[in-house]
Amino acid sequence: MPGVLVVCPTPIGNLDDVSARARDALVAADWIACEDTRRTGGLLDKLGIRPAPPLVSNHEGNEAARATELAQRIERGDTVVLVSDAGMPAISDPGYRLIRRCIDRALDVTVLPGPSVVPVALVASGLPTDRWRFEGFLPKRSGEMERVLRSALRQDPDIILIGEMRDQETAQIGSSRPSQTECWRSGTTSAAASRLRSPT
């Protein structure tokens, strides 16, 4: 009998954001597919999950090949829990390919609710939340990023645009997750409406 893929969000800086369901899923996993095995191993230690299930890397560099391997494990009956370094897997993080592979093979996929910086940034912006669009990681060069934002807001000036940016200064000093999430709306002169730096 086939197993299941469990998509499991992880804390964005606050360990208390781990739900009981997420913790139970991590404990019950046959395999945990993670963006960084060291980071996930540290999370499991903090949660007191010992002995920890086997960890297997699933990052941008190996995700395509790993998706097939993990889907085969699920077909053989294993439960694979998919996590990223912080937040919801597949949202600007690895995970899409494995989820798609499981769906294509008619395997069960369970997505647990939990932390994601996208709705947090939207709500914290104080802007209307009835219509919005997530753009993922934006271009690094300021001119190109501004062009992308202006183009998107010209197409639909009433929409709230949410994007993530790599913080090069933070990256240079060794942060393991150098990104921030911001919201923009047509007519604003800056992106300061909502700036949330992902805690490390």
Side-chain angles (χ1 to χ4, degrees):
M1 182 176 178
V4 62
L5 173 66
V6 180
V7 182
C8 181
T10 54
I12 307 173
N14 189 329
L15 193 63
D16 290 339
D17 288 339
V18 175
S19 70
R21 286 182 67 194
R23 191 183 188 287
D24 289 347
L26 292 168
V27 169
D30 293 305
W31 300 90
I32 298 177
C34 44
E35 193 173 0
D36 184 327
T37 56
R38 292 167 300 179
R39 189 177 180 94
T40 300
L43 173 65
L44 297 177
D45 283 343
K46 290 176 183 175
L47 293 173
I49 299 176
R50 298 187 187 90
L55 305 180
V56 58
S57 64
N58 182 68
H59 49 70
E60 188 177 353
N62 71 358
E63 186 182 11
R66 193 70 85 190
T68 298
E69 174 192 328
L70 292 170
Q72 289 171 346
R73 292 184 185 279
I74 294 168
E75 285 179 324
R76 293 196 293 265
D78 286 351
T79 295
V80 174
V81 172
L82 172 66
V83 301
S84 62
D85 285 349
M88 181 66 76
I91 304 295
S92 290
D93 278 327
Y96 160 76
R97 288 182 175 87
L98 175 55
I99 295 166
R100 183 73 255 170
R101 195 67 48 86
C102 289
I103 290 171
D104 289 344
R105 296 183 181 210
L107 298 170
D108 286 342
V109 177
T110 298
V111 181
L112 303 182
S116 173
V117 77
V118 176
V120 173
L122 178 63
V123 172
S125 73
L127 297 170
T129 59
D130 53 335
R131 297 181 64 240
W132 55 276
R133 188 170 93 195
F134 178 59
E135 285 289 315
F137 280 110
L138 297 169
K140 294 178 181 178
R141 295 182 179 178
S142 59
E144 190 176 351
M145 181 179 70
E146 185 174 347
R147 180 186 58 77
V148 169
L149 293 172
R150 288 187 184 279
S151 174
L153 292 172
R154 266 198 305 271
Q155 292 173 30
D156 193 343
D158 296 323
I159 203 165
I160 306 301
L161 189 65
I162 302 174
E164 291 193 86
M165 297 189 305
R166 293 287 186 196
D167 186 329
Q168 296 306 308
E169 182 178 339
T170 305
Q172 289 170 2
I173 61 173
S175 170
S176 60
R177 194 167 181 82
S179 67
Q180 58 192 28
T181 303
E182 300 188 4
C183 298
W184 295 265
R185 188 173 192 183
S186 181
T188 60
T189 56
S190 75
S194 175
R195 174 173 292 191
L196 298 178
R197 186 178 303 277
S198 299
T200 55

